[in-house]
Amino acid sequence: MSEARRLPRWLWPVGLAGVLGGGGLLASALLAEPGPRYQNFAIPSESMEPTLRAREQFIARTSDLTPIERGAVYLVRKGGVVFAYRVVGLPGEIIAITGSKLSINNAVAEYSGQGVAGMAGTCSFGAATVRREFLPGGASHAIMGCSGNFGNDQPAVKIPAGHYFLLGDNRGNAADSRFTGPDWGLGMVPESDFVGKAERILLSRDSARIGKEID
């Protein structure tokens, strides 16, 4: 992550416009300038900890989203609600999670040792622990579990054409692409449902995080 720096005036928050849907993100418009469009979002849940903490606000680019990049955090829309999750699987790839370890086309991600999440994580049971996930191809990011539990495994599945597989960084507390249903679970996401790419933290209770890029 880059060091915190002062945000330009066009990235200053201008107030919340309202909830995009039950359980989804809060959003507001930003001052318009030529070039890519940006929007301010507030995340209400713990599904992306430790990368995005509950009640933090962040900047997302809402134009020029393609190509969709593995390892980046995107905003996607389902049923009128906008969610933030990380892209790990691309169209046509085979995704599996076995023993909390992600594999892509049979290439298994590598992981660092576990550490204590501290203020970066919230668990309803046990202690929040973090480790770093190194995706095949080079991207890496922190993921979180509770008492060493990094969430549900995923039987091997092939991603359909034009769709993507997304995961929450809080692997034990995210209704992401591992789950599907009419009222709960993200399922695989078509490219047409991508509405933004998270780029930088705007407001946080931890002042050291303000202005930092989202990895």
Side-chain angles (χ1 to χ4, degrees):
M1 287 181 133
S2 65
E3 293 183 357
R5 60 186 178 87
R6 184 170 181 174
L7 296 174
R9 182 176 182 272
W10 65 274
L11 289 182
W12 291 358
V14 295
L16 295 175
V19 183
L20 295 180
L25 303 178
L26 301 174
S28 67
L30 297 180
L31 301 176
E33 282 196 357
R37 295 191 300 275
Y38 294 85
Q39 197 165 1
N40 169 25
F41 290 85
I43 189 161
S45 72
E46 295 83 20
S47 61
M48 279 300 295
E49 289 184 347
T51 303
L52 291 170
R53 302 178 189 175
R55 293 173 293 281
E56 284 186 332
Q57 293 187 37
F58 63 94
I59 297 297
R61 176 160 44 91
T62 57
S63 64
D64 307 323
L65 301 181
T66 55
I68 304 297
E69 301 174 7
R70 187 197 317 282
V73 177
Y74 285 90
L75 279 62
V76 296
R77 187 185 303 275
K78 179 181 179 180
V81 183
V82 174
F83 300 92
Y85 285 117
R86 189 180 300 278
V87 169
V88 299
L90 307 180
E93 294 182 333
I94 297 175
I95 293 287
I97 302 174
T98 305
S100 298
K101 293 184 177 181
L102 173 69
S103 68
I104 304 170
N105 292 335
N106 295 318
V108 181
E110 296 183 359
Y111 296 87
S112 67
Q114 293 186 37
V116 178
M119 292 180 59
T122 304
C123 285
S124 57
F125 63 91
T129 58
V130 293
R131 62 182 184 181
R132 197 153 191 90
E133 181 174 70
F134 298 85
L135 298 176
S140 72
H141 50 270
I143 62 173
M144 194 183 91
C146 291
S147 294
N149 176 17
F150 283 84
N152 293 54
D153 283 354
Q154 167 68 51
V157 61
K158 185 173 182 178
I159 303 171
H163 288 67
Y164 296 82
F165 196 96
L166 290 81
L167 291 174
D169 288 349
N170 185 348
R171 294 288 165 83
N173 186 29
D176 49 35
S177 291
R178 293 170 292 178
F179 309 96
T180 184
D183 301 315
W184 190 82
L186 189 65
M188 297 191 203
V189 181
E191 187 168 326
S192 59
D193 287 351
F194 281 72
V195 297
K197 181 182 179 184
E199 293 201 344
R200 192 176 293 274
I201 294 171
L202 178 62
L203 292 175
S204 175
R205 296 172 68 181
D206 182 351
S207 61
R209 289 171 55 81
I210 295 173
K212 287 190 173 183
E213 292 179 357
I214 297 169
D215 67 1

